[in-house]
Every structure is written in C-alpha cells, then in structure tokens.
Amino acid sequence: MTRTARSFWLEAPGRGAVREVALPEPGPDDVLVRTLFSGVSRGTETLVFGGRVPGNQYAAMRAPFQEGDFPGPVKYGYLNVGVVEEGPERLAGRTVFCLYPHQTRYVVPAAAVTPVPPSVPAGRAVLAGTVETAVNALWDAAPLVGDRITVVGGGMVGCSVAALLARFPGVRVELVDADPGRAEVAAALGVGFASPADALGDRDLVVHASATEAGLARSLELLRTEGTVVELSWYGDRRVALPLGEAFHSRRLTLRGSQVGTVSPARAATRTYADRLALALDLLADPALDTLVTGESAFAELPELMPRLASCEIPALCHRIRYDGEDGGADARGGA
C-alpha cells in the first residue's frame, strides 16, 4: 500500500499550501523519518516565500531536498528534526537532524541524517543548520583570544554567531541591533548589547548579519584600522551601496564574504560537511540557545503563518513548527 505524507509547498510567491505526497519505499541504505519539529529560517525562507530569489541564484539557492523550482511551486526548507522509524540498525529509533523541508514524514539516504546527541533536546536541534552557518563564519573570521568583536544584526544567524563568540576566552562581544528588544536576547547569550548609534568602535572584527545597507555601512565604521568585516547577510535581489571612498582605503579595511554552501577554506582540507554539522549539534547542548526559538506553531498552520512571518507581523528569530498529531496521512505506516 502506498505510504503518504503531507508537505508544505510555496505554490506561488506569497502563497503556500499543504500537499499530500507519496513516499518512496525505503531501500536498504535509506531511512524513513517521522518529523518531530522543523524550523522556519526567517531570513532565507521568507525571501524564498516572497519570490525574491534572483534568477542567477536559482542553482546556488537550491536546498538539498528541494522539489520544484523558484519562484514556485517549490518545496523548500532545511531545518528538520525527526525520529527514524525504519532504517539501518544503528539509526533505528534515533532522533536525527536532516536538511529537509517541512514534511510530516520523508525517506532519504541514511547518510543524509545526523544523530542528535542525547544532551540536545529535539526542539532545540532545529537550530543546527543556523549554528552550522555560525561555525563556518567563525572558521572564516578566525577570531583571536582577546579580540574586540561586534555582531551587527540580532537575527537568527547573528545571534548564533554571538552565542558561539561568547565562549571564546577573553573576547569582548557586543550585539548591535536597531530593535531594543534584542537586549534581552543578548543578555541570555552572555554578550553585550547596543543600538547602532551607541555601538562601541575600534573593533578588531565585525560580523555583519542585518541584511541592511545601513547595517553594513555601520559595520565598516566600527572597525579599527586594518580591521575586517565578515559579511553573512544575503540580500536576495536587492542592490547594496557602500561608502568605499572616505577612509576605507586609508584605514586598509577588509570586507569578506562568508557563505555556508561550502566548507570554509580554513578547514576544507580537514573537515567535511558532516563534521561541521555534527559540531553544530554538539554546540547546541548549551541551553542558552533556547532563547533563539521565539515562537511555535502547528504544521497545519504553515499556509497562514508564512505570510505573517514574511511581513514581520510576527517578529521571530527561529519559528518552530511542531508535528504532534501529524501522522502524514491515514496510510503513512502502511495501514488504514
């Protein structure tokens, strides 16, 4: 009997729906996973939802298990935590993380899932993909003991970077955001907080993640001579102007891009994608990271939820989707 599941699709920019999909029969090297939680990546997913992926970035922006094509219909997402219901003995019954979209059940190669450590609750593990981005960014940035570092942009990625930097010995970290409400998040993560106007200057390193032109310009202003900005923002189809005249050259500033699609060149010879993700999951043992989950909704609510997240009607860092009671269809287990 054909097994089915339910998945969330972007039908067209600004409009989503839940579809019933057929599941393939798992092969000997596959796993069948029942989803417990997924996460909405606020920045990237809302750009996708709004149809704002530039045509020349369609290939680069594909998620590992994406179906369909931009601008839609497309099944998109990459923060999924579930339980292995069928698969190799070493994984059967394990809680795992997978870069899979929002779907009640799915079949993937066993190599595509990463076991969640017992020290990490399943609900927190949805942050793994974002913490992995932060890990890669810090491999690119290479902060040193005692550095003065600012993170501009208190969204999901920026806060993840700040949380990891808070563990570096002697590093003084300040999170900068225009929303004063982010001060509470910064305190929970153990870092300082300031508005853009009040941010400390003379910084060795600034990590920019606000996805705004003003935020990137302010990041350059905060650097010491010969300091570096690591740019993590993705602007979709927007053009960004920067003040690269003035003192940019005389102060010998560096602006460097970082992107999670490849392992940082600083570690590419010694670390794989799987190593990087496993490290991110280990780092999620810190309960302070729970502060990055700022809302939760049922899977069935996604079609109404996504427009509200995209319009910022619902402010969020990571919005978690729960799947309790979502059985993937009447015959999801092969029975009635």
Side-chain angles (χ1 to χ4, degrees):
M1 201 173 188
T2 302
R3 293 192 267 199
T4 64
R6 291 190 293 156
S7 62
F8 176 72
W9 282 71
L10 171 63
E11 301 285 0
R15 177 170 56 85
V18 172
R19 294 184 180 184
E20 185 172 284
V21 295
L23 294 178
E25 193 64 27
D29 297 320
D30 293 335
V31 289
L32 170 65
V33 179
R34 173 174 55 85
T35 303
L36 298 173
F37 299 99
S38 62
V40 177
S41 175
R42 174 67 187 278
T44 304
E45 280 197 66
T46 56
L47 283 172
V48 170
F49 186 78
R52 292 168 53 198
V53 179
N56 61 7
Q57 293 297 301
Y58 282 2
M61 280 296 299
R62 286 194 70 87
F65 294 100
Q66 174 180 324
E67 292 182 37
D69 296 296
F70 303 119
V74 62
K75 183 174 76 174
Y76 193 85
Y78 46 82
L79 303 174
N80 190 297
V81 177
V83 174
V84 175
E85 294 192 319
E86 297 178 24
E89 185 177 351
R90 72 182 187 280
L91 291 171
R94 296 287 302 272
T95 300
V96 295
F97 177 87
C98 186
L99 296 166
Y100 203 87
H102 309 283
Q103 184 164 307
T104 56
R105 273 182 175 81
Y106 54 92
V107 175
V108 294
V113 303
T114 302
V116 175
S119 58
V120 179
R124 190 187 305 155
V126 296
L127 298 168
T130 306
V131 173
E132 183 184 12
T133 300
V135 167
N136 207 60
L138 294 182
W139 282 348
D140 281 335
L144 299 176
V145 173
D147 272 358
R148 295 160 296 185
I149 304 176
T150 292
V151 179
V152 175
M156 196 173 165
V157 171
C159 286
S160 295
V161 171
L164 299 192
L165 284 170
R167 306 172 182 212
F168 278 64
V171 166
R172 287 161 286 178
V173 185
E174 185 171 76
L175 179 66
V176 172
D177 198 275
D179 179 2
R182 291 289 187 260
E184 187 175 341
V185 175
L189 297 176
V191 301
F193 177 81
S195 68
D198 296 329
L200 296 171
D202 201 31
R203 311 304 274 178
D204 300 296
L205 171 69
V206 176
V207 179
H208 178 244
S210 82
T212 67
E213 184 176 297
L216 182 51
R218 184 62 174 140
S219 296
L220 290 169
E221 292 173 350
L222 298 177
L223 289 175
R224 63 165 173 78
T225 298
E226 298 188 347
T228 297
V229 169
V230 172
E231 173 62 283
L232 289 182
S233 300
W234 189 67
Y235 299 89
D237 55 4
R238 286 180 291 150
R239 291 185 177 271
V240 176
L242 283 180
L244 299 184
E246 302 176 0
F248 179 80
H249 290 284
S250 64
R251 295 176 61 215
R252 299 179 60 85
L253 304 182
T254 297
L255 175 60
R256 181 178 183 182
S258 178
Q259 206 271 341
V260 74
T262 58
V263 174
S264 168
R267 292 293 180 270
T270 58
R271 302 292 192 278
T272 65
Y273 289 98
D275 293 332
R276 189 178 66 184
L277 182 55
L279 173 58
L281 282 162
D282 285 339
L283 292 170
L284 280 165
D286 185 352
L289 290 164
D290 281 331
T291 195
L292 303 188
V293 179
T294 53
E296 185 175 282
S297 300
F299 169 76
E301 298 171 11
L302 267 170
E304 292 74 38
L305 172 70
M306 284 300 297
R308 300 176 68 199
L309 286 173
S311 69
C312 298
E313 179 185 340
I314 300 177
L317 293 174
C318 176
H319 196 93
R320 186 166 58 202
I321 306 302
R322 65 178 184 275
Y323 289 73
D324 51 304
E326 301 289 347
D327 63 6
D331 56 355
R333 295 183 177 85

